Amino acid sequence: MKTILYAIFALSGAVSLAFETLWFRQAGLTFGNNVWASSLILSSFMAGIALGNGVAARYAACTARPIVAYALLEIAIAISGVGLVLALPSMTGLVAAILAPFFEQLWILNFVRLGVGFVVLLIPATAMGATLPLIIREL
């Protein structure tokens, strides 16, 4: 059983990195293909991993069936990850409308652009981070 869990977790990690790559490409199209978009993806991904890991590590001991919680998180990751890949390109018009009042103030424009993108990408990344403490608890 341990070998199967190790393989599942390794596959999950590989898929998470594939999602990060896809989000990087899609966010570049939505938020601008520059250093800001790169920073957005990296920071939200790492912050989500840390946040999810911290929350799950704190509450994993309270979980009676960590493997079920792990499976539910993987489903949430799949749905939100694919949803983001599909939704980011269609968000370009919405993001442009939100940012239109700030085109003259570059620092506000970048702050709002990064804030919106950060929050959107934080959700699946947090679920990704929560998986490690749960699988460790199961093992």
Side-chain angles (χ1 to χ4, degrees):
M1 183 65 170
K2 283 184 178 183
T3 305
I4 293 170
L5 288 176
Y6 291 146
I8 289 170
F9 191 69
L11 181 62
S12 172
V15 171
S16 294
L17 291 175
F19 269 138
E20 183 187 14
T21 304
L22 287 169
W23 296 337
F24 179 75
R25 179 166 162 34
Q26 299 295 8
L29 297 172
T30 304
F31 301 109
N33 204 2
N34 56 21
V35 71
W36 292 104
S38 302
S39 299
L40 166 72
I41 298 300
L42 184 59
S43 63
S44 62
F45 189 75
M46 291 299 167
I49 296 290
L51 178 64
N53 201 300
V55 169
R58 180 168 178 85
Y59 296 108
C62 302
T63 306
R65 297 180 59 195
I67 196 70
V68 173
Y70 176 83
L72 292 172
L73 279 173
E74 288 294 343
I75 291 168
I77 293 165
I79 292 169
S80 62
V82 170
L84 268 177
V85 170
L86 298 174
L88 278 172
S90 64
M91 288 177 58
T92 304
L94 175 64
V95 170
I98 292 170
L99 299 177
F102 307 109
F103 283 153
E104 298 297 320
Q105 297 92 8
L106 188 59
W107 71 274
I108 294 174
L109 175 73
N110 285 332
F111 182 76
V112 172
R113 180 173 57 168
L114 291 176
V116 169
F118 189 87
V119 169
V120 168
L121 295 168
L122 190 66
I123 296 166
T126 301
M128 289 175 184
T131 58
L132 178 63
L134 290 171
I135 203 147
I136 287 172
R137 172 92 167 114
E138 181 65 28
L139 293 171

